[in-house]
Amino acid sequence: MAVTSPHSESVPRHVAIVMDGNGRWARKRFMPRGLGHKAGVDALVKVVQASADRGIGYLTVFAFSSENWKRPEEEVSGLMSLLLVALSKHLTKLKADGVRIRIAGDLANVSEKVRNALLDAEAATVGNARLTLTVAFNYGGRWDIVQACQRAIAAGVAADKLDEAALSRHMAMSYAPDPDLFIRTGGEVRLSNFLLWQSAYAELVFTECLWPDFDADELDRALAVYAQRERRFGDVGSSGQGEGGIGHALSASSSGNP
Ligand code: IPE
Ligand code: IPE
Ligand code: MG
């Protein structure tokens, strides 16, 4: 197993990616969209490895949205088959590399075969801790918030006790810190219903790069952008510290009253 580099502040603990652009990648090559999705799996395998090597603890990827059922039946069934093929091809290596696979999404409405393959992958890698790879499958941010409310109510949480922490405990990815870096490939500048709750303070990076072309160098570019960002979380940040702002200016010009 490769050695994980020590974690540094400028490396995000949790990276979330909307892997978009597979269809356009294929169209540019006069190939069917399905081959774009297949190339997308190859990109993902490399990015998982690169993420682990850089000390990222959590990688969450949008593989199939709750809205993707709207696509032609042929594409949807192709994506389901590709998931099964990808798991059987890559699971052994991912397991050996210390990757823990977790699934976020509504598995009640996927076929038994797909559901079992996803649950088997989770079970097979449960002992791993180097990198947690969450595959968001039949996932939607709104679905996640609604199911968290439902589960909290079912667990007996009273309305006046249903605060942010209580709801977070029932979100699909309650085991992970919130994403620090949210990347979307493929050029679209939107969230498309991914991790709406968890991304409240994620740094957003949008790139024109189509997902099958995304690699370790592209990841490094996104990480470099992230490292330059100042995260303020509503505070004034390092450049504002010590200036005192309006309160300081007012008290300085007053006659000494607080
Ligand atoms: C993202 O690529 C993969 C899935 C949604 C499953 P797309 O299939 O959306 O590719 P484009 O956006 O059409 O290029
Ligand atoms: C988001 O991409 C979903 C995944 C990458 C799985 P879409 O291609 O479905 O998003 P829209 O339709 O462009 O918003
Ligand atoms: Mg798309």
Side-chain angles (χ1 to χ4, degrees):
M1 192 200 292
V3 179
T4 301
S5 40
H7 197 268
S8 113
E9 265 296 295
S10 60
V11 177
R13 278 202 298 167
H14 185 174
V15 176
I17 309 183
V18 178
M19 308 183 291
D20 195 24
N22 295 348
R24 279 162 285 164
W25 183 92
R27 196 171 60 211
K28 268 171 58 181
R29 289 162 179 76
F30 305 100
M31 290 175 356
R33 292 175 59 84
L35 289 182
H37 295 313
K38 191 163 175 283
V41 172
D42 297 337
L44 175 59
V45 171
K46 288 182 201 146
V47 169
V48 169
Q49 190 63 58
S51 299
D53 290 344
R54 282 151 185 75
I56 292 165
Y58 297 86
L59 177 68
T60 301
V61 294
F62 209 3
F64 191 86
S65 80
S66 42
E67 288 73 37
N68 286 148
W69 297 103
K70 293 176 190 163
R71 296 188 177 203
E73 207 280 317
E74 192 192 340
E75 178 163 349
V76 171
S77 60
L79 283 165
M80 298 296 155
S81 307
L82 180 63
L83 176 81
L84 297 173
V85 170
L87 283 174
S88 68
K89 188 172 168 195
H90 298 289
L91 185 58
T92 308
K93 171 94 166 66
L94 289 170
K95 188 178 171 188
D97 287 344
V99 176
R100 177 168 185 178
I101 296 176
R102 301 192 75 148
I103 312 301
D106 185 3
L107 294 192
N109 294 320
V110 302
S111 76
E112 201 179 337
K113 210 170 171 184
V114 167
R115 181 166 56 247
N116 287 341
L118 290 169
L119 296 177
D120 286 351
E122 278 192 329
T125 58
V126 74
N128 282 345
R130 185 168 171 237
L131 170 81
T132 297
L133 169 65
T134 299
V135 179
F137 199 83
N138 195 20
Y139 178 89
R142 289 181 171 183
W143 164 82
D144 199 359
I145 294 167
V146 170
Q147 69 81 32
C149 292
Q150 290 174 341
R151 291 205 298 141
I153 292 165
V157 178
D160 63 339
K161 295 280 184 293
L162 189 56
D163 55 12
E164 292 183 16
L167 200 56
S168 288
R169 280 195 289 278
H170 290 91
M171 299 299 292
M173 290 171 56
S174 54
Y175 50 83
D178 283 346
D180 303 294
L181 172 59
F182 180 118
I183 301 171
R184 181 173 185 142
T185 63
E188 308 295 355
V189 185
R190 55 177 170 253
L191 306 180
S192 298
N193 200 14
F194 193 39
L195 301 177
L196 299 182
W197 173 270
Q198 299 87 341
S199 296
Y201 266 105
E203 294 297 327
L204 308 179
V205 172
F206 297 93
T207 167
E208 292 292 324
C209 178
L210 302 172
W211 175 250
D213 292 327
F214 198 87
D215 57 11
D217 288 343
E218 291 289 341
L219 178 66
D220 284 338
R221 268 190 272 283
L223 293 176
V225 171
Y226 173 82
Q228 294 304 312
R229 298 270 177 92
E230 186 190 26
R231 304 186 77 190
R232 291 193 285 275
F233 300 99
D235 202 343
V236 289
S238 54
S239 59
Q241 297 290 348
E243 286 170 16
I246 291 177
H248 178 75
L250 288 177
S251 60
S253 63
S254 74
S255 55
N257 294 330

